[in-house]
Amino acid sequence: MKRILQLVVTRWLARTPIGMVVLGLGWLFMRKRRTRKQQPAQTPARREPGRRSGNPYAWRGPAARDRR
């Protein structure tokens, strides 16, 4: 239903030059919003060496057997 409404509104706005400007501005804003939303997912947080995980059940290797 949402896609059909978007199609109808887009076709209605595309009839006039002012509507085309509105569609272009909306497209630019949505494009920036999508890239901003996807950016943190693409660049994971880097950990510094020597910093341990906060998970007490995380595997720390064979040398850390009976240490806490």
Side-chain angles (χ1 to χ4, degrees):
M1 185 72 181
K2 181 181 174 184
R3 293 283 183 193
I4 294 171
L5 184 63
Q6 282 179 344
L7 178 69
V8 170
V9 170
T10 303
R11 287 184 54 95
W12 182 73
L13 281 173
R15 291 179 186 174
T16 63
I18 295 172
M20 291 296 284
V21 170
V22 170
L23 285 174
L25 289 174
W27 177 77
L28 280 174
F29 287 131
M30 290 304 294
R31 188 173 143 206
K32 286 183 181 181
R33 188 172 159 198
R34 282 189 191 127
T35 56
R36 203 176 328 124
K37 191 182 290 186
Q38 290 176 354
Q39 194 172 14
Q42 292 175 355
T43 57
R46 294 188 179 173
R47 293 179 49 189
E48 295 179 15
R51 208 177 103 201
R52 292 191 157 204
S53 170
N55 186 358
Y57 301 106
W59 189 72
R60 293 190 174 98
R65 283 282 156 122
D66 293 320
R67 287 190 271 156
R68 284 210 170 191

